[in-house]
Amino acid sequence: MILEYLFVIWLGLILGSFMTMLIYRIQNKKLLLGRGANRSYCPHCRTILKWYDLLPVISYFMLRGRCRYCGQKMGVQYIVIETICVLIMIFAYNIFSKI
């Protein structure tokens, strides 16, 4: 049961991270996916982020909500969207696992 919840939380974090990427790219009229789409980068210093800078929620807290490279604050929307996605996934799991 604990492993199931950990899996659901992991899926929620991945979904939330993907959604924040989509929201940012749609708002800024960037390519979403494919060959022309750039990797994730800091909007302040334009440094391409490494994989360990993109761990949902974990890297936000480890970096105290700031860019590792320039120190500028990141928006709170990243952590909010990822947390909401996790809560929705847990809620859905609790409802549909009983069916």
Side-chain angles (χ1 to χ4, degrees):
M1 178 134 161
I2 291 174
L3 286 177
E4 292 171 357
Y5 274 105
L6 289 175
F7 182 72
V8 168
I9 290 169
W10 178 72
L11 282 178
L13 288 172
I14 290 173
L15 179 64
S17 182
F18 185 70
M19 286 178 61
T20 57
M21 182 272 302
L22 286 178
I23 291 167
Y24 177 80
R25 291 185 182 193
I26 289 170
Q27 283 178 340
N28 294 297
K29 295 179 175 50
K30 307 269 185 196
L31 287 176
L32 297 178
L33 301 169
R35 287 192 165 214
N38 294 330
R39 293 189 46 204
S40 296
Y41 59 89
C42 172
H44 302 289
C45 66
R46 301 270 193 226
T47 302
I48 293 176
L49 302 174
K50 307 268 191 278
W51 67 269
Y52 46 82
D53 295 326
L54 299 171
L55 297 172
V57 179
I58 296 167
S59 42
Y60 187 88
F61 284 115
M62 287 180 62
L63 297 171
R64 295 182 188 100
R66 297 185 177 276
C67 172
R68 177 185 306 273
Y69 308 99
C70 69
Q72 291 288 323
K73 277 194 148 247
M74 289 190 279
V76 71
Q77 73 270 16
Y78 301 108
I79 191 82
V80 169
I81 292 170
E82 291 168 1
T83 304
I84 288 172
C85 283
V86 168
L87 294 174
I88 290 171
M89 290 293 286
I90 290 171
F91 180 74
Y93 175 75
N94 284 331
I95 289 175
F96 293 114
S97 68
K98 295 184 179 30
I99 294 177

